[in-house]
Amino acid sequence: MKKDFKDVSMAVIRRLPKYHRLLKELMEKDVARISSKELSGMIGFTASQIRQDLNCFGGFGQQGYGYDVGELYNEISRILGLTSHYNTIIIGAGNLGQAIANYSNFEKKGFHIMALFEKNPRLIGLQIRDIPVLDVDDLESYCQGKNIEIGVICTNKESAQDVADTLVKLPVKAIWNFAPADIHVPDSIVLENVHLSDSLYIISYLLKIQEQDKE
Ligand code: NAI
């Protein structure tokens, strides 16, 4: 029977990539099993939080044994949908668009970047790895019949809403937006806004606290 996790809170879902990353590291170190207490020491969540999180999906651990690292990694991959394949395009082939296209690990996780789309003639025609930078005017014709699932917005913020509207019309199923713009899309479209600065500002805060403690 296909399990349905729609009722699991997004707060729990947002912790799953962290578990996934940690379990991958443990697998690389040939660690076969781990307790929630040991996981807690590494990940910074309490052991009870970890057990609660994983119980939302049926609980994979065994009392007195802990979690089978490989099994849990595979389960979390499956829950996150990382066993699927997603046709992906990037709009805006500047610094960030090119950096994302250059990062081959997304490919390994099933995010197949098919093309970048640009309006700047100096960038159109480039290849990032083997990914072509195409004219944004050809976006709609290129995407016809290709089942593009994810559109990544890497344009400047002024263009972001227009680009989002175009992606919605294609249609894509999800938008990964890096532009610092408050874009609006229909509820049926998955929208994830990324702000690297949020993480950077936390560094700034923690450095400030460290300095205050020294005073
Ligand atoms: P960039 O200026 O190097 O690249 C933007 C590219 O988008 C340019 O090549 C431009 O020609 C293209 N473009 C603009 N409008 C377009 C359209 N309608 N169709 C196709 N291409 C179009 O800028 P960079 O450094 O790559 O940053 C891209 C965006 O990401 C910016 O909005 C920036 O503020 C944002 N950013 C966000 C971060 C985050 O954490 N969310 C981190 C870094 C940048």
Side-chain angles (χ1 to χ4, degrees):
M1 196 178 67
K2 204 173 162 193
K3 284 185 200 157
D4 187 352
F5 302 129
K6 268 192 271 184
D7 293 335
V8 177
S9 81
M10 277 311 287
V12 175
I13 303 294
R14 287 193 184 281
R15 284 194 284 275
L16 291 184
K18 203 163 175 182
Y19 293 124
H20 190 261
R21 209 166 42 243
L22 183 62
L23 289 161
K24 173 110 198 300
E25 282 169 26
L26 290 170
M27 278 165 58
E28 283 164 1
K29 290 179 191 152
D30 290 326
V31 177
R33 67 166 149 152
I34 188 142
S35 67
S36 50
K37 197 168 165 213
E38 287 166 315
L39 267 178
S40 165
M42 289 179 234
I43 210 164
F45 309 149
T46 65
S48 106
Q49 168 96 80
I50 292 168
R51 287 194 298 272
Q52 266 178 38
D53 283 355
L54 299 177
N55 275 341
C56 295
F57 307 97
F60 309 109
Q62 281 173 40
Q63 196 118 38
Y65 176 86
Y67 298 99
D68 180 308
V69 171
E71 195 186 315
L72 188 55
Y73 175 81
N74 289 336
E75 284 295 334
I76 293 179
S77 298
R78 203 179 48 75
I79 293 165
L80 286 172
L82 296 177
T83 47
S84 303
H85 175 101
Y86 301 100
N87 287 336
T88 304
I89 53 170
I90 298 175
I91 320 299
N95 296 308
L96 188 61
Q98 292 195 27
I100 292 174
N102 256 317
Y103 186 60
S104 58
N105 265 3
F106 291 138
E107 202 80 39
K108 291 183 195 147
K109 289 282 166 257
F111 301 94
H112 174 49
I113 301 173
M114 299 175 71
L116 296 98
F117 290 89
E118 237 310 318
K119 68 173 189 184
N120 180 344
R122 281 189 290 145
L123 297 173
I124 297 167
L126 289 181
Q127 295 262 338
I128 314 299
R129 296 189 291 133
D130 56 347
I131 308 169
V133 178
L134 306 176
D135 190 331
V136 73
D137 286 345
D138 297 332
L139 177 64
E140 279 154 78
S141 58
Y142 172 90
C143 291
Q144 259 176 24
K146 289 203 171 67
N147 190 28
I148 306 294
E149 276 130 333
I150 303 176
V152 186
I153 301 181
C154 292
T155 63
N156 52 315
K157 78 172 184 187
E158 293 73 19
S159 305
Q161 184 62 57
D162 282 350
V163 170
D165 293 344
T166 307
L167 291 172
V168 168
K169 274 195 225 130
L170 282 177
V172 297
K173 295 177 183 155
I175 292 177
W176 198 23
N177 174 40
F178 283 85
D182 197 10
I183 63 170
H184 300 279
V185 295
D187 289 345
S188 57
I189 305 284
V190 172
L191 172 65
E192 188 68 15
N193 295 300
V194 183
H195 299 285
L196 295 182
S197 51
D198 290 2
S199 175
L200 197 56
Y201 295 170
I202 297 299
I203 289 188
S204 159
Y205 170 80
L206 293 172
L207 287 176
K208 192 188 75 179
I209 297 289
Q210 249 180 22
E211 283 305 311
Q212 282 170 356
D213 285 349
K214 279 189 210 150
E215 284 167 12

